[in-house]
Amino acid sequence: MAQDNSSRVTEFILLGLSDTQGLQLLFFTLILLAYTMVLLGNLLIFVTVRTDPKLSSPMYFLLCNLSFLDICYTSVTAPRVLVALLSGHKAIAFEGCMAQLFFLHFVGSSEMFLLTVMAFDRYMAICRPLHYTAIMARGACWALVAACWAGGFIHSAVQTVLMLQLPFCGPNTINSYFCDVPPVIRLACADTALTEWLMASNSGLISLGCFLVLVASYALILAKVRARVSQGNWKALSTCASHVMAVTLFFMPCIFTYLRPAGTLPTSKYVCAIYTILSPMMNPLIYTLRSSEVKESMWRLRKRCRT
């Protein structure tokens, strides 16, 4: 789309993951498989936790919310990229691009806050068991989840407002498969240095801060169980190790992407695929499906569905 300096961009062109026909078919197959696993895995966990009274502890309440967020988070980007790979239609309206950016950061930052709350829940359960029931009561859990959503909304609203203040008069080609701050802000027809630093401070510091709190929480748990060699503590240690792997997989690409001005280094769209597609696909396995209680509940759910 040809644009002069006085015109306003009305749509962007998403270049996607590849222009090669064979690679497009491969990416379509992989993303479709990953998205299907995200939907089925997280939906199964959501239904299982919601329908089984035995899974009423704060941990499973938070896991249920994580599953819902994972479904929403992947659905912001995956369906559109699948349609683009299948049809070859790469254009997205300006309003659609801003909406995708808003919901991506809204759900993504809410998930970051929720993962931090989940680490706090595990810390209280393992390191402060006598106070756990009082602190992590159902009302407190609802308040924490509401705070995660509210924090995500505020963060995303700030990002979107900053983007809408920028003029876009061309070019309109985005070297990615979805609209996000780093690739879009490079297309602005203005000096974006201050805006880039503000956005890096917003998204980057949230990612880094939540990650450091998570690591500190799990470090305290490790220090607590290290001196106690028992089956229960070894199980807790194994669980914490898998959780650390999951949050590292999610947070490190986000920190790399957002904790710097957009123009300093190019953002790899393949790095973005780690936290938009791969991490939500692995969360059900890492956080929930390793639990014997959840497996038993799924078997009960299966029996109820058959009868």
Side-chain angles (χ1 to χ4, degrees), residues 4 31-32 46 58 63 71 75 110 122 155 226 260 272:
D4 57 41
I31 294 174
L32 178 62
F46 184 84
L63 286 171
I71 292 173
S75 297
S110 297
R122 290 300 82 207
H155 157 75
R226 183 180 57 181
R260 55 186 173 83
C272 297

Side-chain angles (χ1 to χ4, degrees), residues 156-296:
S156 185
V158 171
Q159 294 285 86
T160 307
V161 168
L162 288 173
M163 290 296 296
L164 291 174
Q165 302 303 312
L166 298 174
F168 293 94
C169 54
N172 67 332
T173 302
I174 301 175
N175 186 24
S176 183
Y177 60 93
F178 65 98
C179 289
D180 198 6
V181 171
V184 174
I185 199 173
R186 294 192 185 101
L187 305 180
C189 306
D191 183 5
T192 61
L194 178 59
T195 306
E196 289 178 29
W197 279 108
L198 290 174
M199 291 185 170
S201 301
N202 189 2
S203 296
L205 289 181
I206 286 176
S207 303
L208 181 62
C210 289
F211 180 68
L212 292 178
V213 171
L214 284 161
V215 171
S217 299
Y218 288 123
L220 291 173
I221 293 173
L222 175 62
K224 183 72 174 180
V225 303
R226 183 180 57 181
R228 301 178 182 178
V229 181
S230 66
Q231 183 178 357
N233 285 329
W234 279 116
K235 181 181 179 181
L237 182 61
S238 173
T239 301
C240 289
S242 63
H243 288 191
V244 170
M245 291 175 58
V247 299
T248 301
L249 186 66
F250 180 62
F251 278 92
M252 291 308 293
C254 291
I255 294 171
F256 171 77
T257 301
Y258 298 115
L259 194 60
R260 55 186 173 83
T264 55
L265 288 172
T267 302
S268 173
K269 48 193 172 186
Y270 303 108
V271 172
C272 297
I274 297 175
Y275 62 85
T276 58
I277 298 174
L278 182 60
S279 180
M281 181 184 68
M282 296 183 65
N283 278 349
L285 177 63
I286 292 175
Y287 282 100
T288 309
L289 296 181
R290 297 172 70 249
S291 168
S292 58
E293 292 180 345
V294 174
K295 292 178 183 177
E296 292 172 1

Side-chain angles (χ1 to χ4, degrees), residues 16-188:
L17 292 167
S18 174
D19 291 327
T20 306
Q21 187 69 28
L23 286 177
Q24 286 183 354
L25 180 60
L26 174 63
F27 286 133
F28 176 84
T29 304
L30 293 176
I31 294 174
L32 178 62
L33 179 61
Y35 186 49
T36 303
M37 293 176 65
V38 169
L39 292 180
L40 294 180
N42 286 289
L43 186 60
L44 177 61
I45 291 167
F46 184 84
V47 173
T48 300
V49 175
R50 294 291 297 174
T51 57
D52 194 338
K54 294 184 178 181
L55 300 180
S56 59
S57 68
M59 178 180 72
Y60 292 116
F61 173 77
L62 296 175
L63 286 171
C64 182
N65 282 274
L66 178 65
S67 295
F68 179 72
L69 282 172
D70 275 336
I71 292 173
C72 296
Y73 186 55
T74 311
S75 297
V76 174
T77 57
R80 182 168 191 89
V81 71
L82 288 172
V83 171
L85 288 169
L86 195 62
S87 65
H89 182 70
K90 299 181 177 181
I92 180 173
F94 177 86
E95 294 78 8
C97 183
M98 293 298 108
Q100 187 179 58
L101 187 150
F102 172 82
F103 285 108
L104 179 76
H105 282 267
F106 177 27
V107 182
S109 56
S110 297
E111 182 164 336
M112 288 184 181
F113 296 137
L114 183 63
L115 289 169
T116 307
V117 171
M118 289 170 60
F120 173 75
D121 172 75
R122 290 300 82 207
Y123 168 78
M124 293 302 302
I126 296 172
C127 300
R128 297 288 186 272
L130 297 179
H131 302 89
Y132 178 71
T133 305
I135 294 178
M136 297 301 294
R138 179 51 63 100
C141 290
W142 276 107
L144 288 170
V145 170
C148 292
W149 283 92
F153 178 82
I154 294 171
H155 157 75
S156 185
V158 171
Q159 294 285 86
T160 307
V161 168
L162 288 173
M163 290 296 296
L164 291 174
Q165 302 303 312
L166 298 174
F168 293 94
C169 54
N172 67 332
T173 302
I174 301 175
N175 186 24
S176 183
Y177 60 93
F178 65 98
C179 289
D180 198 6
V181 171
V184 174
I185 199 173
R186 294 192 185 101
L187 305 180

